[in-house]
Amino acid sequence: MLRATLKSLLARKLRLVLSGLAVVLGVMFVSGAFVLTDTLGRTFDAIFADAYEGIDVNVAAKPKIALSEMEGEQTPPPFPAATVEKVRAVPGVAEATGVIAADGARLIGSNGKAVASFGPPQLGENWTGESDLIRLREGRGPNADGEIVINKGLATAGKVAVGDRVGVLTPLGPKQEFTIVGIFGYSGGRDSIGGANEIMFTTPVAQRLMLGEAGTVNSVSVKAADGVSAESLRDAVATAVGDAYEVKTGKQLSDEAAAGFKEALSFFNRILLGFAAVALLVGTFLILNTFSIIVAQRTRELALMRAIGAGRRQIVSSVVLEAVAVGLIASVLGLAAGIGIGALLAWAFGNLAGGLTLAGLGVPASAVISAFAVGIVITVVAALLPALRASRIPPIAAMQDVATPDRPLTKITVAGGLVTAVGAVLLFLGLGGNAGDNTLVTILGGVLFAFIGVALLTPLISRPVVNLLGTIFAWSVPGKLGRLNSGRNPRRTAITAAALMVGIALVTGVTVILDSAKSSISGLAQDSIKAELVISGVQSGPRPPTFDPAVLEKVAAIPGVRLVDGEYGDMAVVGGERTWVAASSEVGALRQIFGATPTAGDIDRLAPDEMLVSSDVAKNRGLSVGSTVPVQLARGDGRTYTVSGIYTASQLTNPVVLPPQAARDFAIPQPIQGFIQLAPGTRVADVQPQVEALLADSPEVSVADRDAFIEQQASQLDGLLTMIQILLALAIVIAVLGIVNTLALSVLERTRELGLLRAIGLRRAQTMRMITVEAVVISVFGALLGVVVGAGLGAAVVEALKDEGITDLILPWSQMGVFLGLAAIVGVVAAVLPAIRAARINVLGAIAHD
C-alpha cells in the first residue's frame, strides 16, 4: 500500500506542485516572521552590549513616570552633579563620569530640513572625551559653547562636514547655531550604534539644552577598580547614593534595554503571524479542494484497491500519507523561502533605521518547528475529510464508469448555520465590550468562525448565484458551457470561491473601518476645531515635532489674529493613575476653539495650582469642583491641584488640562500644536505667510489651513491601509493559485469530456473561452462574497465603535467595484495555463482516456 501510494504521488507531479504551493507561501510567512525577529533580536542584543561597553556600573535617578518601549524614549531625570563626587568616593570605584544624554536633539541638514529618525533616538549629550567605544575620525572635541561633535552616521545623513555651521533643535529651546568641530565613530568601524543620531555639546550647553538645569547630570558612568566585581561595586554604590537612585551593572542595562526592544518586536511578530494565519486559512481551502478533486479522480483506482483487499483504514492512510508527503516537501520549501524573506525584511529594517549593522542571519528552532508543524498539520487536517470520503468508496465502483455524485447539502448547510451563529455571538460579545480582558481574542475568534461558517454556507448559494453571473457570458456556446461547468459541482466551486472570499473580505472590512474612521475624524474636526490655521508636523520618531513657544506671542501680534493657543501634552500620574494630560497657553481655547462646554465651575481660566477635568474623568474618579488631586509630571516634584472646572469632552479634547505653567515640567516643554483663530473678515491667505516666516527656525512644523490639517491627520490612516493591503495580498495570491489549481485538476478530471466536445466540433479557441468563463465566474463569485461579507463585518465593527467617536459608516463603493473588476481579470489570468492545456488535448487520446 505504501509503494502504491508513493508511485501514485510521483506519477502526478503537477498535482503535487499545485497542492503544495499554498502551504509553501503560508509556511514562508510563519518561518519568515521568526527569522526576522530572531535576527533583529540578536542585532539589538549586540547593539546594547556595545552601547554599555566599558560601563561596569551606572547610576541614574528613578524616573518620575515610567514609559513602556511603545510609548517613547525613557529619559532619566536630572540630579545634582555633586552626586558624581559621592560615587567617585566609594571604595572600588576607579573612575566616575557624569553623563548627560537625552532624546530630542535634531540636526538641521544641508537641505534645511531636520534629519529624521524612524525609531532610533536622536541623542543630545555632553562630550566626555574619547573612549574604547568612541573615537574621533575628524577634527577635535568641543571646547566652546558654540561647538559640537556628531557621529559619522548623522554627518552622512545630514550631508555635513567639519567646519560647517548648522542648526540644532532641542527639547528645551529654539533652534541654535553651532559649528561642527569633530566627527566621531565607534569601535569596529561603525558609523552609529543602532542607527542613533548623536550630537555632543560642552557640558554646560548640554545641561541647558537637554536637561534645563545647570549643575546637573542624568547618569553616572562608573568603572570598577581592578579586582572589584561589577555586582559588588553596584551594591556599594547603591548604599552610598540611597533609594532615590537606580544603580545597575552595565550587563543589567544591556539586558533590560534588549528586553524592552524585544517586547515591542514581539508585537510586530504577532502581526506577521496573524497575516500568516490568514494565508494558511486560505491555503486550507485550497488543499481541501485539491484533495477532494484528487479523490474524485482516483475513484476507480481506490475502488480497485478496495476490491483487491485494501481496508478503509488503509485507504485513509494512503490519502493522509500523500498529504504528509506534500506537507513535508512544502514545509522544506516554505522554510527556505521564509529564511530568504526574513533576511530581506531584516535588511529593509536595517536600512530604514539608518544603516543598522545586522547580526548574522540565524534560523531559530521556533522557525523550523513552526514550519514543519504548520505545513504538515495544515495539509493533513485539510486532507482528512477527503480521505474519509475515499474510504467509503465501494469496491463495486471499480467495475463501473463512475462519477462522484453530488450529495445533499443539508448537513453542510446546518453546520454552516451553527458555525456562523457562533461567530456572530463571539463578535457580539467582543465588539460590545462584554469579553473583559479577552476582547481581542474573542473578536478574532468571531471573525474566524464567521469566515468558516460563510464558507460552509457557500455551496447552498453557489449554484443560483453562479448561474446568474454566468448569464453575462451565455450569448455563446463556450459561455454557456463555462457557466454550466462552474455550477455543476457546488462544493468545489464554493471552496474555490471561499479562498478568494477570505482575502477580499478582510481587505474590504479593513477599508470600511478605516474609511469610516477617516470620515468620522474629519467630520468631528470640522465641527470641533474653530481655528482657521493650525501649526503642526508629521511625527516620524518617538517624539512629536515641536516649535519655539515664543512663536505664539509673535503670532498673536499679527493683525487679524483673534486667538492663539499652543497645545502641550505628556503622560503623567494623576491621582495614582497614568493619564495623558495637556496644558494650553490660552486656557480659554478649550471652549472658544474646541467647543467644550462647562458643566461645573469656570473653564476659561486657571490659577497655577488649578486643573480642569472632563466630565468622564470626574464621574469615573468621583471628582467635583474643589476636589484636590496629586499629580506627578515627568520633571520636578509632585504637586497637588484643585479641580476648578469640569467640561464635556469630545474625541478631540484632552481628559485633563493643567495650567500653562505646568508645561515646564513636561518631558517635552514645547508646544506640539498651535491653533490660530482669526477675526471676522480676516483672510487666511493674508496671515498664513506671516506665520510661515515666524516658523523659519522650526523646520519640523508648518502652518496649514484647517481643511489641509484635517486631511493631513486623516491621511495617516492611508499608510496603515496600504500596509494591510500589501500583507493581505499574499492571501489573495494563494486564492488565485486555488483557482488555477481547481481548473487544472478539473481539466485533468474532464479529459474524456473535453475530447468528446472537441470531436463534435468545439474549436481550440472555443475550448479556451469555455475554461476562461468558468474561471471568471468562480473568481467574481468569490469576490462578490468577499465584498458582501467584508462590508458586513466592517459595518458591525463601526457600529460597535460608535462610542469611540467613529460615527460615520462609509462603504467604499468604488473600491468594491474595483475588487470585482480585478476579480474578473484574475479569473482570466488564472485560466491561461489550464485553458492552454485543455486546448492542446489530443482528441483521440482524450476519447480513449479512462
Side-chain angles (χ1 to χ4, degrees), residues 285-328:
F285 286 118
L286 193 161
I287 299 165
L288 175 62
N289 210 24
T290 299
F291 277 92
S292 296
I293 298 173
I294 289 171
V295 168
Q297 291 176 351
R298 295 173 59 194
T299 297
R300 177 169 285 189
E301 175 190 331
L302 295 172
L304 279 171
M305 289 183 179
R306 291 292 313 280
I308 61 176
R312 287 189 172 184
R313 181 175 297 178
Q314 288 178 302
I315 296 296
V316 172
S317 300
S318 173
V319 178
V320 169
L321 180 61
E322 187 169 344
V324 170
V326 171
L328 183 62

Side-chain angles (χ1 to χ4, degrees), residues 171-173 543 546-547 549 568-569 635 662-671:
L172 302 177
R543 288 174 175 263
T546 60
F547 58 95
Y568 305 75
R635 302 170 185 269
R664 292 194 295 261
D665 289 333
F666 283 14
I668 304 176
Q670 288 186 313

Side-chain angles (χ1 to χ4, degrees), residues 41-312:
R42 288 184 295 103
T43 295
F44 278 88
D45 281 341
I47 286 171
F48 292 125
D50 287 341
Y52 296 105
E53 181 183 347
I55 298 177
D56 292 318
V57 173
N58 186 79
V59 181
K62 291 181 179 179
K64 308 287 186 180
I65 308 292
L67 298 178
S68 70
E69 191 70 23
M70 301 294 288
E71 291 175 328
E73 195 74 21
Q74 181 77 68
T75 300
F79 55 87
T83 306
V84 179
E85 296 301 324
K86 185 183 294 186
V87 171
R88 192 174 288 137
V90 174
V93 172
E95 184 179 338
T97 305
V99 176
I100 299 164
D103 192 11
R106 293 92 71 203
L107 181 81
I108 308 301
S110 60
N111 61 358
K113 297 181 180 179
V115 178
S117 171
F118 297 93
Q122 297 175 293
L123 297 173
E125 304 166 84
N126 64 322
W127 174 255
T128 58
E130 294 182 286
S131 64
D132 293 339
L133 177 63
I134 294 176
R135 289 288 174 186
L136 283 168
R137 293 187 185 175
E138 300 176 49
R140 57 174 175 81
N143 296 322
D145 289 352
E147 298 177 343
I148 59 171
V149 295
I150 62 175
N151 66 350
K152 179 62 176 176
L154 178 56
T156 301
K159 297 181 180 179
V160 295
V162 171
D164 287 352
R165 189 75 175 167
V166 296
V168 176
L169 301 172
T170 60
L172 302 177
K175 184 185 82 170
Q176 296 195 26
E177 297 286 332
F178 292 90
T179 300
I180 299 175
V181 296
I183 294 176
F184 61 90
Y186 306 86
S187 60
R190 292 164 297 173
D191 293 342
S192 69
I193 296 291
N197 296 331
E198 295 185 67
I199 302 174
M200 294 190 179
F201 312 89
T202 60
T203 295
V205 173
Q207 289 170 337
R208 176 168 52 86
L209 296 182
M210 303 309 300
L211 301 182
E213 297 180 44
T216 60
V217 295
N218 63 352
S219 70
V220 181
S221 175
V222 183
K223 284 189 177 181
D226 292 340
V228 179
S229 70
E231 289 74 16
S232 61
L233 184 59
R234 174 197 61 196
D235 296 340
V237 171
T239 301
V241 297
D243 295 339
Y245 295 87
E246 292 181 337
V247 183
K248 298 177 181 179
T249 64
K251 186 176 185 311
Q252 278 181 297
L253 291 174
S254 174
D255 291 345
E256 288 178 5
F261 172 79
K262 288 177 181 177
E263 178 185 350
L265 192 61
S266 67
F267 175 76
F268 180 64
N269 189 41
R270 286 193 290 272
I271 292 176
L272 290 180
L273 291 177
F275 285 103
V278 173
L280 288 169
L281 175 63
V282 174
T284 301
F285 286 118
L286 193 161
I287 299 165
L288 175 62
N289 210 24
T290 299
F291 277 92
S292 296
I293 298 173
I294 289 171
V295 168
Q297 291 176 351
R298 295 173 59 194
T299 297
R300 177 169 285 189
E301 175 190 331
L302 295 172
L304 279 171
M305 289 183 179
R306 291 292 313 280
I308 61 176
R312 287 189 172 184

